[in-house]
């Protein structure tokens, strides 16, 4: 498997997304994890809202039943979207910390390798994001940080307060989402971008 560099670590060029694993049973998910590892894919992308939390829960159950497997994987999750009648975004310190702690419980792990802010919160207070990141890093709950679907100017605003490097800007790309083609300035925002 081809490797790419994020920050100071090498990771596979392909990441396994978990948005659609909610219907898998534990055995099927364990088989998927093991097959992906055989292929060199050990990086798994979650979000607190995938399947209303179900995707993280079933992944955690499958992972828990394979001794030693957690240390072979890179786990990433995202937070900041509050679904409901009107979807909104929340980068408050309280919401970020609560979301991470919930994801850790669901995934049955003590740490996330990467935490991404999922879609921009236009009303964010960068100071609150920085406080949340500092707390999560000092507690060892998150090792690396990044964003998802942020513009270069939104990243620069965060960097005025956040001391941790924002190592990833995960951008959505498909036939229906062509921002990478329409606004190539996104490609210059961080060292590495994951497209799903």
């Amino acid at each position: 498997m081809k490797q790419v560099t994020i920050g100071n670590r090498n990771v596979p060029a392909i990441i396994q997304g978990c948005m659609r694993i909610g219907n898998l049973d534990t055995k099927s998910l364990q088989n998927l994890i093991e097959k992906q590892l055989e292929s060199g894919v050990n990086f798994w992308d979650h979000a607190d809202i995938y399947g209303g939390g179900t995707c993280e829960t079933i992944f955690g159950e499958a992972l828990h039943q394979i001794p030693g497997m957690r240390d072979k994987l890179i786990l990433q999750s995202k937070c900041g979207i509050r679904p409901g009648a009107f979807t909104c975004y929340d980068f408050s310190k309280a919401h970020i910390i609560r979301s991470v702690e919930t994801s850790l419980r669901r995934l049955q792990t003590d740490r996330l390798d990467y935490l991404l802010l999922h879609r921009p919160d236009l009303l964010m207070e960068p100071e609150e994001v920085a406080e949340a990141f500092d707390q999560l890093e000092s507690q060892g709950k998150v090792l690396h940080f990044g964003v998802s679907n942020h513009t270069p100017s939104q990243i620069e605003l965060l960097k005025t307060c956040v001391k941790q490097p924002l190592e990833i800007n995960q951008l959505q790309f498909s036939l229906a989402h062509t921002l990478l083609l329409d606004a190539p300035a996104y490609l210059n925002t961080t060292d590495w971008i994951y497209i799903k």
Side-chain angles (χ1 to χ4, degrees):
M1 170 63 61
K2 179 182 175 184
Q3 298 279 302
V4 296
T5 302
I6 302 178
N8 60 1
R9 90 189 281 181
N10 290 329
V11 300
I14 295 176
I15 295 175
Q16 175 64 53
C18 295
M19 186 168 72
R20 305 207 192 290
I21 65 169
N23 293 328
L24 294 179
D25 60 47
T26 301
K27 187 62 178 167
S28 298
L29 186 51
Q30 288 172 335
N31 288 338
L32 177 62
I33 292 168
E34 289 167 354
K35 291 293 183 192
Q36 290 294 58
L37 273 178
E38 289 172 15
S39 301
V41 177
N42 67 340
F43 201 142
W44 294 77
D45 174 59
H46 293 273
D48 58 356
I49 63 164
Y50 288 172
T54 303
C55 296
E56 287 183 333
T57 299
I58 66 166
F59 190 91
E61 291 168 359
L63 197 60
H64 183 68
Q65 294 178 23
I66 309 173
M69 183 60 74
R70 170 60 184 99
D71 292 331
K72 297 177 182 178
L73 303 181
I74 300 169
L75 296 184
Q76 169 178 288
S77 194
K78 299 181 290 292
C79 71
I81 298 178
R82 283 183 176 261
F86 298 100
T87 298
C88 65
Y89 306 98
D90 186 350
F91 287 179
S92 66
K93 177 182 178 182
H95 183 73
I96 292 170
I97 290 171
R98 185 171 46 253
S99 293
V100 168
E101 289 174 348
T102 301
S103 290
L104 292 174
R105 277 194 304 276
R106 289 177 183 150
L107 291 166
Q108 299 189 41
T109 186
D110 62 347
R111 71 198 181 281
L112 292 174
D113 296 289
Y114 291 90
L115 172 67
L116 307 186
L117 299 176
H118 199 178
R119 306 247 178 226
D121 173 6
L122 299 180
L123 301 176
M124 75 168 171
E125 297 288 343
E127 297 84 359
E128 278 202 57
V129 174
E131 289 176 16
F133 282 12
D134 287 347
Q135 180 175 327
L136 292 166
E137 182 181 53
S138 69
Q139 294 172 338
K141 293 180 179 179
V142 177
L143 306 181
H144 303 273
F145 298 86
V147 296
S148 178
N149 298 296
H150 281 58
T151 66
S153 60
Q154 290 163 338
I155 293 170
E156 289 306 312
L157 177 59
L158 277 168
K159 286 165 67 175
T160 64
C161 295
V162 172
K163 69 179 183 186
Q164 296 80 6
L166 299 175
E167 298 179 21
I168 297 173
N169 186 11
Q170 176 180 306
L171 300 176
Q172 186 172 13
F173 183 65
S174 69
L175 290 175
H177 298 90
T178 59
L179 189 60
L180 286 175
L181 299 175
D182 302 334
Y186 274 89
L187 294 175
N188 299 322
T189 59
T190 57
D191 293 334
W192 186 79
I193 295 176
Y194 159 54
I195 303 169
K196 65 176 185 176

